[in-house]
Amino acid sequence: MSGLQVIGAGLGRTGTLSMKKALEELGFNPCHHMEETFSHPERNHKHHFTCILANENVIEHLEAVFGGYKAMVDYPGCMFYEDFMKMNPDAKVILTVRDTPEAWVKSVENTIFSHHTASNRLLWNFGKVIMKLAAPAHIPTVMELITRTHGVDPIDPKTDLAQMYTDWVNRVKETVPAEKLLVFNVKQGWKPLCDFLGVPVPDTPFPRVNSTKEFHAKHGKQKTRFLLKFAALVGFISAGAFCLVKFAM
């Protein structure tokens, strides 16, 4: 793949949307983020992620999803940082991090991995059913890729998310040459990022977006649509079952 100049290896909820905005302001535009998978359905993400999950022509399908972008951050792209390094040997890698593993866990449990807090297995399994039936078509496949990448299911209440985060940070540090890697907390602002990328520091404030509160405000309507879709499906199945029973009688 040609074009990727910045590879974001940080997990979701490590300031990745702020990083997307910052990188685009610095000229690395466009920058891929999970949000792109919702706003560009023409890229047929479910098909490409399904093929990647099956290890079928992985590079070809990564190109189909990420081609044309100058930078990449967040899930799902971060899972393929090593592939992107091979495909873009001159690219620089940024590992976005939180203050502590526990801070990251608190964030993901309130947002992208909220099912992790289910009080019992029944609620957890119910949540997975809702996701498979009502979420956008590519999301269950992305979740399967995340589980395969980390070796654990992040929404399973038994999973130690702090350890999952720590293992990932260590993995990136061990596999990316030090001279190509910036470990970055968005609280650090423009200077270390701009120094690493060799670009001038902007006069504007560093972007601060997608807090937990903003995440819920943004995705609340989407969650409602998911639940309505699921409720309609349950209603349809129930009505069908009722008609079958009545006909049998």
Side-chain angles (χ1 to χ4, degrees), residues 25-26 190-191 194 199-207:
E25 186 169 341
L26 293 175
W190 286 118
K191 192 174 189 320
C194 293
V199 297
V201 175
D203 295 328
T204 54
F206 191 91

Side-chain angles (χ1 to χ4, degrees), residues 33-80:
H33 179 278
M34 176 66 92
E35 286 198 338
E36 301 288 306
T37 68
F38 298 101
S39 58
H40 292 286
E42 73 279 2
R43 292 215 176 205
N44 195 5
H45 295 94
K46 177 177 172 55
H47 166 70
H48 296 301
F49 290 140
T50 298
C51 291
I52 292 170
L53 184 64
N55 292 317
E56 297 176 0
N57 301 316
V58 171
I59 302 304
E60 174 186 327
H61 291 288
L62 286 176
E63 174 69 42
V65 174
F66 297 95
Y69 289 91
K70 292 184 179 179
M72 175 283 300
V73 296
D74 198 59
Y75 286 120
C78 64
M79 296 186 285
F80 309 107

Side-chain angles (χ1 to χ4, degrees), residues 69-225:
Y69 289 91
K70 292 184 179 179
M72 175 283 300
V73 296
D74 198 59
Y75 286 120
C78 64
M79 296 186 285
F80 309 107
Y81 76 93
E82 291 176 282
D83 292 303
F84 291 140
M85 287 171 60
K86 294 174 184 176
M87 297 158 69
N88 304 272
D90 295 326
K92 294 186 176 182
V93 181
I94 299 175
L95 173 63
T96 44
V97 295
R98 297 292 291 249
D99 292 340
T100 64
E102 291 72 27
W104 181 78
V105 172
K106 181 179 179 181
S107 178
V108 297
E109 284 188 336
N110 281 293
T111 53
I112 60 175
F113 299 147
S114 58
H115 294 317
H116 184 264
T117 59
S119 57
N120 58 58
R121 300 293 291 185
L122 180 61
L123 287 175
W124 175 66
N125 284 319
F126 180 69
K128 294 196 77 171
V129 169
I130 290 178
M131 180 183 70
K132 288 183 178 180
L133 294 177
H138 65 285
I139 292 300
T141 307
V142 170
M143 290 304 300
E144 288 188 62
L145 283 166
I146 290 173
T147 296
R148 185 180 74 176
T149 298
H150 293 293
V152 292
D153 184 345
I155 63 173
D156 187 333
K158 296 186 298 183
T159 296
D160 185 341
L161 288 178
Q163 189 61 53
M164 182 183 114
Y165 169 88
T166 300
D167 289 344
W168 182 259
V169 169
N170 291 337
R171 171 180 168 177
V172 174
K173 289 179 179 179
E174 291 168 1
T175 53
V176 180
E179 68 275 11
K180 287 194 171 186
L181 177 65
L182 173 68
V183 180
F184 182 70
N185 188 316
V186 293
K187 291 181 178 179
Q188 295 174 268
W190 286 118
K191 192 174 189 320
L193 178 63
C194 293
D195 287 349
F196 178 68
L197 296 175
V199 297
V201 175
D203 295 328
T204 54
F206 191 91
R208 295 282 190 272
V209 296
N210 210 29
S211 65
T212 297
K213 183 177 180 180
E214 290 172 329
F215 179 94
H216 286 297
K218 182 188 304 179
H219 294 280
K221 292 181 179 179
Q222 185 181 62
K223 186 175 182 180
T224 299
R225 288 196 298 270

Side-chain angles (χ1 to χ4, degrees), residues 233-249:
L233 180 61
V234 171
F236 177 78
I237 293 173
S238 300
F242 175 78
C243 291
L244 286 173
V245 171
K246 188 175 181 180
F247 178 78
M249 293 175 63

